[in-house]
Amino acid sequence: MRTTVGIVGAGPAGLLLARLLHNAGIDSVVLESRDRRYVEQRQRAGILEQGTVDVLREAGVGARMDREGLPHDGIELRFDRRRHRVDFPGLTGGRQVMVYAQTEVCKDLIAAQLADGGPLLFEAEALAVEGAETDRPRVRFRHEGREDVLDCDYVVGCDGFWGVARKAVPAALSRTYERTYPFGWLGILADVAPSHDELVYARGERGFALLSMRSPTVTRAYLQVPADTDAADWPDEEIWDELDRRLEVDDPAWRLARGPVTSKSVTPMRSYVHEPMRHGRLFLAGDAAHIVPPTGAKGLNLAVGDVVTFARALLAQRDKGDSRPLDGYSGTCLRRVWQAERFSYAMTTMLHRAPDATAFDDKIQLAALDRLTRARSAEADLAEAYTGFPL
């Protein structure tokens, strides 16, 4: 097989890149190791930054998002039994976010790709990326029981942390930066209307809690738990009781709505960056290059930023003969990545109580939260980061 851009991985990054390239008249082939059902059902992020929303609309795959997604103009912070709302449009000149699950983004992109895009091969396992340093890189893959080769002008690795793309970057050229947190998130989906019309981030003596949603009838909620927690060890009612305790405020009108829990799992908390994000004609995007703890809602949005950067750079090369954007891909992406890492780290350390936290640590967290309620500049920094860094 032969194509201009070989895309490894059919998560939102790989699928969006294929759509952007198709719209620009550039051919691509997408290889995905899993089947279509898995890709469309795996639960991941649910918050889209303003820039991501704009890109999906411009790519022609935003119609269902606009019908079914939930625009949000802010978040609520809870601490010390207090409530404080952060007004995104008022602090950012009109920017907001959209609650629309990654599963739905993938469904929309898959439907568009299969309708009029280039080849999208499910159950096509990438085995290796070869020849990244040459002008004809290739991807060896297995599909329908036989091995094949995809010859490309460029390869974009959107195959996640465990994929083969990053392994094609020589170890001598790679630098990695990592932090593992001593806690995770116990997350649930429940068939009950959300208890609040915006996301609620709560910091308390018992740990962090997040009240979110997937739709007007489905609640998504999280509890900070030890990193080695087994979700099966938490009965449903105990989860609701703990959410009630951690979300409690001095407001008798507020109540947590409970309902049947349909799924629960534990998400590890980790920060990771691989540099560089380019090696020859191999470009890394999304989790293949960076991971953020979910506190800042940045993972999916960073991946979108990566593939938008690549698509724009490739168009500059094709239309203007300007290779500088492609040459600068890694540096351009990493500036945004490190800002997202900074923000996610700050949100995580401000809202979660570490197992070895001291009274001093608690006071520092409360001081940081208190400043957000009193200093517009601090509040604006949070709002600008949460709604998204420029693409």
Side-chain angles (χ1 to χ4, degrees):
M1 297 180 67
R2 180 81 177 86
T3 191
T4 301
V5 181
I7 301 171
V8 185
L15 291 167
L16 177 59
L17 177 57
R19 175 66 3 192
L20 296 174
L21 296 176
H22 171 78
N23 291 346
I26 299 173
D27 61 294
S28 69
V29 173
V30 184
L31 305 175
E32 168 55 47
S33 62
R34 304 282 192 160
D35 61 26
R36 179 177 179 178
R37 183 174 181 273
Y38 177 89
V39 174
E40 292 186 337
Q41 292 190 359
R42 56 185 167 190
Q43 291 293 331
R44 292 292 189 273
I47 305 295
L48 307 183
E49 296 174 354
Q50 182 70 66
T52 297
V53 170
D54 294 342
V55 167
L56 292 172
R57 287 171 179 159
E58 292 166 7
V61 288
R64 192 164 72 93
M65 173 189 68
D66 284 330
R67 289 196 310 271
E68 301 177 12
L70 305 174
H72 279 203
D73 286 336
I75 58 173
E76 181 173 290
L77 300 174
R78 294 189 181 185
F79 63 100
D80 207 18
R81 302 183 65 86
R82 297 162 56 187
R83 306 175 66 174
H84 178 77
R85 181 177 183 270
V86 180
D87 174 18
F88 291 159
L91 292 160
T92 64
R95 295 171 69 83
Q96 57 180 192
V97 297
M98 178 82 77
V99 175
Y100 191 63
Q102 176 175 314
T103 51
E104 306 310 310
V105 173
C106 287
K107 289 175 186 176
D108 296 341
L109 289 165
I110 288 171
Q113 187 73 4
L114 294 178
D116 60 13
L120 167 54
L121 305 182
F122 291 104
E123 298 181 85
E125 180 189 5
L127 303 174
V129 177
E130 300 172 339
E133 305 90 342
T134 73
D135 60 0
R136 287 292 185 271
R138 46 192 251 160
V139 183
R140 284 196 299 107
F141 67 99
R142 183 183 295 111
H143 185 235
E144 296 181 341
R146 65 183 181 86
E147 286 195 19
D148 205 341
V149 173
L150 178 62
D151 291 302
C152 318
D153 292 332
Y154 305 93
V155 175
V156 181
C158 305
D159 53 343
F161 181 78
W162 300 107
V164 301
R166 191 179 66 255
K167 297 174 184 176
V169 181
L173 302 178
S174 299
R175 300 179 302 278
T176 59
Y177 306 87
E178 185 172 9
R179 181 186 181 97
T180 301
Y181 298 86
F183 42 75
W185 277 9
L186 171 62
I188 64 167
L189 282 171
D191 286 337
V192 60
S195 304
H196 194 60
D197 56 1
E198 293 177 336
L199 273 67
V200 178
Y201 289 76
R203 182 267 176 206
E205 293 299 314
R206 299 177 66 89
F208 169 80
L210 171 60
L211 191 60
S212 182
M213 63 199 70
R214 279 295 180 263
S215 75
T217 60
V218 176
T219 288
R220 184 73 158 150
Y222 299 93
L223 288 170
Q224 175 189 343
V225 293
D228 59 354
T229 296
D230 184 344
D233 292 339
W234 279 76
D236 296 354
E237 282 307 307
E238 189 174 333
I239 293 173
W240 288 117
D241 289 344
E242 190 63 24
L243 284 166
D244 237 339
R245 286 188 284 263
R246 298 191 192 186
L247 292 162
E248 191 174 14
V249 287
D250 291 331
D251 182 352
W254 188 82
R255 289 288 184 273
L256 176 66
R258 303 186 180 205
V261 174
T262 58
S263 73
K264 53 186 171 183
S265 61
V266 174
T267 301
M269 304 288 281
R270 184 183 180 206
S271 300
Y272 174 87
V273 179
H274 179 280
E275 296 185 5
M277 289 177 59
R278 177 196 177 184
H279 174 59
R281 292 202 172 197
L282 167 65
F283 298 78
L284 304 180
D287 286 0
H290 43 73
I291 295 171
V292 290
T295 325
K298 288 284 159 269
L300 167 60
N301 297 290
L302 274 183
V304 168
D306 294 342
V307 298
V308 168
T309 299
F310 175 80
R312 290 175 178 172
L314 191 58
L315 286 178
Q317 170 87 337
R318 184 194 69 178
D319 298 341
K320 302 176 183 178
D322 185 358
S323 63
R324 289 173 298 177
L326 276 177
D327 293 339
Y329 170 83
S330 184
T332 300
C333 290
L334 284 169
R335 281 191 292 275
R336 192 167 181 270
V337 166
W338 279 112
Q339 285 301 318
E341 292 284 358
R342 173 196 65 83
F343 174 66
S344 299
Y345 172 82
M347 288 284 284
T348 300
T349 54
M350 179 175 67
L351 292 166
H352 293 74
R353 196 168 194 277
D356 58 351
T358 66
F360 179 86
D361 298 326
D362 291 338
K363 288 292 188 180
I364 290 294
Q365 287 182 320
L366 291 171
L369 286 160
D370 185 63
R371 177 169 169 76
L372 285 170
T373 71
R374 301 177 188 277
R376 183 178 176 85
S377 59
E379 195 176 18
D381 182 65
L382 186 154
E384 289 169 358
Y386 199 100
T387 55
F389 303 106
L391 293 177

